[in-house]
Amino acid sequence: GQQVMQIPQYQHVQEGEDFTTYCNSSTTLSNIQWYKQRPGGHPVFLIQLVKSGEVKKQKRLTFQFGEAKKNSSLHITATQTTDVGTYFCAANAGNNRKLIWGLGTSLAVNP
Amino acid sequence: GAGVSQSPRYKVAKRGQDVALRCDPISGHVSLFWYQQALGQGPEFLTYFQNEAQLDKSGLPSDRFFAERPEGSVSTLKIQRTQQEDSAVYLCASSLAMGGSFTGELFFGEGSRLTVL
């Protein structure tokens, strides 16, 4: 079935370093969403990207949607310990309202 | 309430028991989703409701799983004759979106953690 591949699976950084997670699909996506899940918590919506080549920023977070709408990235500048958690991408493809989720990237930040 | 409410937060069941998990979505949210999340994994889609209509149940792993939303608000996920592989966190999410192919922003509950012994 349709899949969204997300890499890396884990990332350890020193506080202040940058962090990027990537999502890739073999099929064209209608849109892509990003969620953050803190340890022991539930996913919390961060952003939705719809347009080809779209770039959105939220403070230190930058989200991109590829020109072909098959890939996306989340970049965090100057990580802080509050950024710790697992970041998931999730996408709609075709006329299907079922979100396809990546496996997530777990971010650990050393103070 | 202000957010999606799920109960119970924790449930321990003996293998073979039936369990029922409740979800109270945000008032006015048309769409309701159930997901299963195993430890260290992403959420796996189970089923989706638009109002009281169950439009997609393709993710339910077996006929032991049943979900309903009879009045278009509160939903219940029932698992019959639980097995150890059913142990997971069951997440409920709701959204305002209706129609079209976009799920819309999902608001998740805290989840119900099921442990089957």
Side-chain angles (χ1 to χ4, degrees):
Chain A
Q2 289 177 322
Q3 290 185 327
V4 173
M5 307 303 294
Q6 190 172 354
I7 57 168
Q9 189 174 0
Y10 304 99
Q11 184 82 57
H12 270 90
V13 299
Q14 286 295 128
E15 190 171 22
E17 291 182 339
D18 293 354
F19 159 76
T20 305
T21 173
Y22 301 90
C23 276
N24 296 288
S25 170
S26 57
T27 58
T28 302
L29 304 171
S30 302
N31 67 334
I32 194 157
Q33 299 179 355
W34 287 90
Y35 290 80
K36 177 183 179 181
Q37 186 172 24
R38 294 182 186 275
H42 58 278
V44 174
F45 177 85
L46 295 176
I47 204 91
Q48 175 169 278
L49 303 171
V50 177
K51 298 177 182 176
S52 167
E54 191 169 12
V55 178
K56 287 188 176 180
K57 293 191 176 184
Q58 289 179 352
K59 297 182 180 178
R60 296 179 293 105
L61 277 61
T62 302
F63 304 84
Q64 292 188 323
F65 201 9
E67 293 289 343
K69 300 183 73 173
K70 291 184 177 181
N71 57 73
S72 181
S73 64
L74 158 58
H75 180 82
I76 303 178
T77 303
T79 54
Q80 299 175 358
T81 55
T82 53
D83 296 326
V84 165
T86 301
Y87 293 84
F88 291 98
C89 61
N92 289 119
N95 197 30
N96 189 339
R97 300 199 65 208
K98 181 169 63 178
L99 274 180
I100 306 162
W101 289 71
L103 291 181
T105 297
S106 292
L107 172 64
V109 180
N110 297 326
Chain B
V4 178
S5 177
Q6 290 189 247
S7 61
R9 288 291 312 279
Y10 303 93
K11 176 69 177 178
V12 179
K14 291 183 179 179
R15 192 174 60 175
Q17 281 185 331
D18 297 349
V19 300
L21 308 176
R22 174 190 168 103
C23 173
D24 198 343
I26 294 172
S27 178
H29 277 198
V30 170
S31 299
L32 185 146
F33 299 80
W34 282 98
Y35 287 89
Q36 181 189 61
Q37 187 173 28
L39 190 64
Q41 302 293 315
E44 293 279 346
F45 172 83
L46 294 177
T47 186
Y48 154 62
F49 291 85
Q50 186 170 305
N51 295 307
E52 69 278 5
Q54 189 174 19
L55 299 186
D56 189 339
K57 55 182 181 179
S58 61
L60 295 176
S62 76
D63 59 7
R64 296 186 295 104
F65 287 71
F66 171 77
E68 60 182 3
R69 194 186 185 197
E71 297 178 1
S73 55
V74 171
S75 177
T76 304
L77 175 67
K78 297 179 180 178
I79 309 173
Q80 296 177 324
R81 304 181 303 281
T82 52
Q83 304 294 316
Q84 284 187 323
E85 61 264 27
D86 299 335
S87 296
V89 175
Y90 290 86
L91 293 165
C92 176
S94 68
S95 82
L96 273 172
M98 55 183 299
S101 60
F102 284 12
T103 300
E105 176 181 351
L106 290 181
F107 294 82
F108 281 87
E110 296 289 342
S112 292
R113 181 178 296 277
L114 172 65
T115 303
V116 181
L117 304 178

